Amino acid sequence: MIERENPARFAEIVGSVPVSTPDAVDEIVRRAGAEQRRWAALPLPDRLAALTHAAAAIENTVDDLATLLARESGKVLADCRGELGFAVRFLRWVAGRAIGVYADQAVDDDLGRLVHLRKPYGVVAAVTPWNAPVILAMLKIAPALAAGNAIVVKPSPLAPLTISRVAGLFDAPVRLVHGGAETGAALVGHELVRKVAFTGGAAGGRAVAALAGDRLTPSVLELGGNDPAVFLDDAPLADDAMDRLVMATFATSGQVCMAAKRLYVPEARLDDFVAAYLTAADRVLVTGDPLVPGVTMGPVISAAAQRSAAAFRVPAALDLGRFDADPDTGYFVRPALVVSPDPVSPLVTTEQFAPVVPVLGYRDENAVLAAANAGDLGLGASVWSADEERAFEFARRFEAGFTFVNTHNRTGMSLRAPFGGVKRSGWGREYADEGLLEYVQTCVIHAPAAFRPGAAPTGTGPSAYPAG
């Protein structure tokens, strides 16, 4: 049994779920496989109607679900409501968009008759993290179901409760398994799994990729990032921009793959930037119990995360915002800004996944670009400038899958913009048409013009290359 504690009050057990043994995983996957054949046989509009019904069911219970999510994850209540609301919006977006994306495409012309079919894989395995357990599962569940797949989700043991309730609101082949590495391996390596979708850290990604690769199972991996935020010399330090930047770093206590994790500012503006950042943190950053109104940052997820965050703090770290929390009763960490750390320190070169952020000065754009692109990760980045054209030209030179302009993190996302990393931040995409297409296989039916009924003899040999 997995018991989930409240990270804001770790003596409180929020709920529990049973561990799925490998035998249980096998049974669940096989049941999902049988359900998938019936589900795929339904007309596409019927499958999409199931998504809209689930969206309405989530919307009708959003307050209870948000409270449960805040208690199990430590995310502030407003963020939990926002995550659930966005999950509803995503479900409805998929229900509207999939009609065009998954429709057959036919061409009948002088070259022949060609039909593109969008066919489901079968059973999809999804392994999801704790930091946004509902929306990160929904990014996989919604397109997988719309395409005609069944899906088996293994959520993180650190946040299994809310997504379990949400999955139960679907009248569709959505199944859950719970557990750690053994459960995940049994799911990803199952012989009936035909596609794997994973969001999480590098270690988990390597394990999932190795298992999937051993079975030649295609996968989509969204892994970690060490996102740079580069302020050009003309970037305004206005209140609204600095407020966005602070929350882009410290939302979910900094435990977000696409958080702003390294801040780069021209040396001549460093003092002004730090002053503006501290003032913004005083305005928007309040650390405390996530269920208390007005709190904008809760605890980190676990004791291990609390220890890891403490290791990044240095004596010169500047405390940020208001701290209304007790680290002895919950996994709270005082958020901090570290000015001009050693550029090769772990605080700068690794993904902190903690409420501690470095700010570094730079002298020229080529140097800061080299620093921003250093390392193996390439998930997100941002550039800040009063000149949008200049920002876009600079952004083209980032080694990142998604670059924000004058914002960062979730305020810069869009349903129409595919999201994913380059380098060792993963492969495949979520959101947009590209995200929908991850859950179908393109199959074709082709009748070349030369061999259609009534076609004139070509005079070509039986092994000729195609004419077009």
Side-chain angles (χ1 to χ4, degrees), residues 305-315 317 336 338 345-357:
Q306 190 181 44
R307 291 192 296 270
S308 177
F312 284 116
R313 288 182 62 98
V314 296
V338 178
S345 67
L347 177 63
V348 178
T349 61
T350 65
E351 181 182 27
Q352 313 100 0
F353 225 64
V356 184
V357 66

Side-chain angles (χ1 to χ4, degrees), residues 139-467:
L139 291 176
K140 301 157 183 60
I141 291 171
L145 292 178
N149 301 286
I151 185 164
V152 181
V153 182
K154 192 201 85 65
S156 167
L158 295 173
L161 306 176
T162 311
I163 187 56
S164 295
R165 285 186 53 184
V166 168
L169 299 175
F170 282 84
D171 183 16
V174 181
R175 297 289 175 260
L176 266 69
V177 296
H178 294 287
E182 183 182 41
T183 302
L187 174 60
V188 172
H190 197 282
E191 62 181 357
L192 294 186
V193 166
R194 294 291 181 262
K195 178 86 181 203
V196 174
F198 174 85
T199 301
R206 288 189 183 94
V208 166
L211 279 169
D214 186 60
R215 286 203 169 270
L216 298 179
T217 305
S219 61
V220 53
L221 304 180
E222 195 264 275
L223 306 179
N226 188 16
D227 290 16
V230 176
F231 277 67
L232 301 184
D233 56 17
D234 65 344
L237 306 182
D239 290 354
D240 59 341
M242 299 307 293
D243 291 353
R244 285 197 306 278
L245 180 64
V246 168
M247 292 313 301
T249 296
F250 294 107
T252 316
S253 304
Q255 302 165 116
V256 178
C257 60
M258 59 181 178
K261 298 188 176 77
R262 296 176 285 156
L263 314 180
Y264 292 97
V265 182
E267 285 184 357
R269 304 189 71 195
L270 185 58
D271 289 346
D272 290 342
F273 178 91
V274 170
Y277 195 91
L278 294 174
T279 301
D282 286 340
R283 281 194 302 269
V284 302
L285 206 53
V286 179
T287 305
D289 190 313
L291 294 176
V292 173
V295 167
T296 58
M297 195 187 101
V300 295
I301 191 65
S302 65
Q306 190 181 44
R307 291 192 296 270
S308 177
F312 284 116
R313 288 182 62 98
V314 296
L318 304 175
D319 293 335
L320 300 172
R322 196 169 84 236
F323 192 75
D324 295 337
D326 185 351
D328 293 327
T329 59
Y331 302 125
F332 293 100
V333 175
R334 188 181 293 273
L337 177 72
V338 178
V339 181
S340 301
D342 185 338
V344 297
S345 67
L347 177 63
V348 178
T349 61
T350 65
E351 181 182 27
Q352 313 100 0
F353 225 64
V356 184
V357 66
V359 57
L360 301 99
Y362 71 88
R363 293 185 180 179
D364 66 76
E365 291 186 8
N366 289 330
V368 74
L369 191 70
N373 288 337
D376 288 338
L377 300 180
L379 186 59
S382 65
V383 56
W384 303 66
S385 173
D387 184 337
E388 187 173 279
E389 288 303 318
R390 183 185 178 197
F392 269 73
E393 285 304 312
F394 188 91
R396 289 177 183 274
R397 301 163 67 194
F398 275 130
E399 295 173 1
F402 198 112
T403 297
F404 307 93
V405 175
N406 291 329
T407 194
H408 204 118
N409 208 331
R410 64 185 182 220
T411 56
M413 302 293 290
S414 170
L415 291 172
R416 69 178 186 174
F419 181 83
V422 299
K423 298 194 288 189
R424 288 190 170 84
S425 285
W427 53 76
R429 292 297 181 262
E430 295 184 314
Y431 297 100
D433 291 353
E434 289 87 343
L436 299 185
L437 290 171
E438 293 285 358
Y439 294 90
V440 288
Q441 305 172 90
T442 298
C443 302
V444 301
I445 306 171
H446 185 218
F451 312 119
R452 299 182 74 180
T458 64
T460 59
S463 62
Y465 283 92

